[in-house]
Amino acid sequence: MTRVAIASLGIWHPPTSVDNNWFIEHYAAQGVDMSGLLNALGHKNRYLIRDSSDTTLTMSVAASNDAIQRLGCQAKDLDFIVFASQTPEYLIPSTALKIHHAIGGGERALAFDMNANCAGLLVAVEMVSRAMMANPSCQLALVVGSDYLGAHSSNAPVYHSCFAESAVAVILHKTEQGNGFIDSEFRIQTSVIDNSLFPACGLSNIHRHDVSAQVKFTPFDDDICITAASESIQLLLSRHNLVPADIKGFMFSQFSVANIRRLCEELGVDQDKALFIGDEYGYTATNSPFVALYETLERKKIVRGDFLIFWTIGAGWQSIAVLMQY
């Protein structure tokens, strides 16, 4: 049986790590207390772009080259290049095309951008996996996710202090080994559709001087997300005659350690199976479950053939759960 599996994973983040104290002191001077939130989320450090010209494009090119080098393939071998971001450096041309150009991709390829907010990279991997299975000529795909919300959120303390910068590149390939993408489950619940807005003024108004083009965030209770996540994961497992104990690794959104803890409790699994790396990397938005996967692999907590569950959520909100055999 032909499946689409992860062949290689590349990552890049800025060299500068900033701890909570910088943000706590920065916002305390403005009369805003961020200490309670940051401690509750479990964030301690995060990699940020500081005094450099890095962007989502440069980070993504570096991560892509890392993934290509790890696999030992050539950029000209890639049939698809897909870039997921809510803060692309360019809208015209697509950042995927800019990545294709930078890494030396081949002529017979397809490149495009997509945005599912913080669910972006997981949605892109799911969609590209299904597209590859339906396209006999597509053998190798590069899917990249990167965000740089720090450049657009200085007036939104939650975004500014919690989000971090990085890029993750996933190379997918067709395989007959039995491992790979299995199934997915989506949920949409739009009661908080306008709680995160970027640009706050709408794209058609970004050149006006009387409105803000930065992120606008209105806090909301995310309890409902965990219930929906548990239901999605349980449904996925039941469709394939699996139980939570069969899963060797859970790659969850890294926004909050408390949410990971609660989701593990709902599923009845040991939290050791759901690595939290937000204390080191911060919340890397669109690619956060794959940063967790990268660190899980680095720590040798999973091997080829293990069943994995991915889950994350994007602004608005919509969530996705994916079942995969690594």
Side-chain angles (χ1 to χ4, degrees):
M1 179 180 178
T2 301
R3 279 185 174 168
V4 174
I6 294 175
S8 178
L9 202 65
I11 190 169
W12 193 91
H13 60 72
T16 303
S17 178
V18 178
D19 66 18
N20 284 351
N21 288 333
W22 189 93
F23 290 97
I24 292 170
E25 292 170 4
H26 174 76
Y27 283 105
Q30 302 176 35
V32 179
D33 180 12
M34 296 301 298
S35 59
L37 175 65
L38 293 176
N39 289 331
L41 294 176
H43 298 175
K44 296 178 181 176
N45 300 286
R46 73 277 290 143
Y47 293 107
L48 299 177
I49 294 172
R50 287 286 192 268
D51 303 320
S52 75
S53 57
D54 284 308
T55 66
T56 52
L57 173 59
T58 61
M59 291 190 291
S60 295
V61 169
S64 298
N65 283 328
D66 183 32
I68 290 168
Q69 183 178 10
R70 289 172 186 261
L71 183 60
C73 67
Q74 302 293 320
K76 294 184 184 300
D77 299 331
L78 298 168
D79 301 300
F80 280 180
I81 299 176
V82 178
F83 176 66
S85 180
Q86 52 204 326
T87 56
E89 186 65 9
Y90 296 99
L91 297 177
I92 302 174
S94 71
T95 301
L97 273 176
K98 299 279 281 186
I99 294 170
H100 176 279
H101 174 77
I103 65 176
E107 185 175 348
R108 297 191 64 212
L110 172 66
F112 62 90
D113 292 356
M114 60 162 291
N115 176 22
N117 304 115
C118 290
L121 184 54
L122 187 54
V123 171
V125 166
E126 192 270 357
M127 295 186 71
V128 171
S129 296
R130 292 191 184 276
M132 290 178 69
M133 288 189 288
N135 186 341
S137 65
C138 184
Q139 300 296 318
L140 205 63
L142 172 68
V143 189
V144 194
S146 181
D147 277 323
Y148 182 11
L149 280 153
H152 310 286
S153 61
S154 60
N155 296 329
V158 173
Y159 268 73
H160 191 220
S161 61
C162 296
F163 284 74
E165 284 91 60
S166 72
V168 175
V170 183
I171 295 182
L172 302 172
H173 72 151
K174 282 183 177 171
T175 176
E176 304 293 334
Q177 301 302 311
N179 62 313
F181 170 80
I182 299 173
D183 200 359
S184 59
E185 181 73 16
F186 290 88
R187 294 291 178 95
I188 290 179
Q189 210 280 18
T190 56
S191 62
V192 292
I193 188 65
D194 290 326
N195 286 60
S196 293
L197 292 173
F198 172 66
C201 60
L203 199 59
S204 62
N205 293 311
I206 60 171
H207 300 296
R208 288 174 50 184
H209 300 296
D210 59 333
V211 292
S212 172
Q214 292 235 332
V215 170
K216 178 183 177 181
F217 176 68
T218 305
F220 62 95
D221 184 355
D222 64 354
D223 281 352
I224 190 173
C225 304
I226 302 305
T227 301
S230 178
E231 291 173 354
S232 292
I233 292 168
Q234 296 281 15
L235 185 58
L236 268 181
L237 295 177
S238 67
R239 285 207 294 258
H240 298 277
N241 300 312
L242 297 169
V243 296
D246 295 321
I247 307 303
K248 297 300 183 183
F250 293 85
M251 311 302 150
F252 292 151
S253 164
Q254 298 293 304
F255 181 69
S256 165
V257 68
N259 283 352
I260 290 177
R261 187 180 301 117
R262 288 178 52 220
L263 189 47
C264 287
E265 289 172 355
E266 291 231 2
L267 295 170
V269 299
D270 191 327
Q271 193 179 334
D272 185 59
K273 285 187 174 183
L275 186 65
F276 177 67
I277 48 79
D279 54 348
E280 176 186 352
Y281 287 84
Y283 180 51
T284 60
T286 193
N287 61 36
S288 80
F290 289 92
V291 178
L293 174 62
Y294 173 82
E295 281 294 328
T296 299
L297 290 168
E298 288 291 297
R299 301 178 195 191
K300 304 187 186 309
K301 295 171 74 71
I302 58 172
V303 296
R304 285 291 181 186
D306 283 346
F307 286 107
L308 306 178
I309 284 285
F310 293 78
W311 177 85
T312 192
I313 188 166
W317 60 265
Q318 66 175 342
S319 66
I320 174 175
V322 168
L323 172 63
M324 185 183 296
Q325 193 170 7
Y326 182 69

